[in-house]
């Protein structure tokens, strides 16, 4: 299946919308189109690794989308972000934080073009629970 037309259309759309919306990581966090929040009874570092590994496998195209991740052990948090290549746009930002009973995860998405980012945000919950079988079609 050739994803180039879809990727190029998505990139063109993001560039068009970027002037009207704040699609940076900060903008996606503070003014999301939608949010998926959940708790996992696992260590935040394990949750980060599961989400990051699956996001790279499923969302990172290498040409139009790149997954970036950071872990911050000092405050027991981590983040996984999907960056659209050639822009500052980060339509999906996943914040992972240690909680008293495991890990709290907030997946924010900047827009819901064809429901793809909502599906991606919901996929993070499956991945955090160890389900590696689902990859959203974006």
């Amino acid at each position: 299946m050739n994803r180039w037309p879809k990727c190029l259309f998505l990139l063109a759309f993001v560039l068009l919308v970027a002037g009207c919306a704040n699609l940076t990581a900060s903008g996606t966090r503070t003014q999301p189109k939608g949010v998926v929040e959940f708790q996992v009874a696992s260590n935040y570092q394990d949750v980060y690794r599961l989400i990051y590994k699956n996001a790279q496998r499923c969302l990172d195209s290498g040409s139009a989308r790149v997954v970036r991740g950071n872990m911050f052990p000092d405050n027991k948090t981590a983040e996984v972000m999907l960056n659209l290549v050639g822009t500052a746009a980060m339509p999906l930002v996943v914040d992972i934080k240690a909680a008293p009973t495991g890990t709290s995860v907030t997946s924010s998405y900047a827009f819901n073009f064809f429901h793809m980012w909502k599906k991606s945000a919901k996929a993070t919950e499956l991945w955090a629970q160890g389900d590696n079988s689902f990859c959203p079609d974006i």
Side-chain angles (χ1 to χ4, degrees):
M1 184 166 94
N2 188 352
R3 291 185 174 212
W4 273 106
K6 195 173 188 179
C7 290
L8 291 174
F9 180 75
L10 175 64
L11 184 58
F13 176 76
V14 168
L15 292 174
L16 179 68
V17 173
C20 304
N22 185 358
L23 297 178
T24 62
S26 175
T28 299
R29 284 183 177 109
T30 59
Q31 298 175 334
K33 174 71 174 176
V35 173
V36 175
E37 295 179 297
F38 57 93
Q39 300 277 327
V40 183
S42 299
N43 178 288
Y44 85 98
Q45 294 170 330
D46 295 335
V47 172
Y48 164 79
R49 287 184 191 100
L50 285 168
I51 293 174
Y52 182 69
K53 176 185 74 170
N54 283 291
Q56 280 189 311
R57 180 177 60 87
C58 295
L59 305 177
D60 193 324
S61 71
S63 58
R65 300 178 310 267
V66 176
V67 172
R68 302 187 190 288
N70 298 297
M71 196 178 308
F72 307 102
D74 292 347
N75 58 4
K76 295 184 179 178
T77 63
E79 63 185 7
V80 176
M81 299 169 290
L82 181 66
N83 179 228
L84 298 180
V85 174
T87 73
M90 297 208 183
L92 179 65
V93 177
V94 182
D95 291 304
I96 302 160
K97 182 173 139 180
T101 58
T103 300
S104 171
V105 180
T106 303
S107 297
S108 307
Y109 52 96
F111 52 88
N112 201 21
F113 190 58
F114 294 127
H115 300 284
M116 70 178 94
W117 302 120
K118 184 176 184 178
K119 289 177 189 174
S120 298
K122 288 185 175 279
T124 62
E125 185 170 8
L126 295 172
W127 297 337
Q129 295 169 356
D131 183 348
N132 302 329
S133 64
F134 180 73
C135 279
D137 184 27
I138 62 167

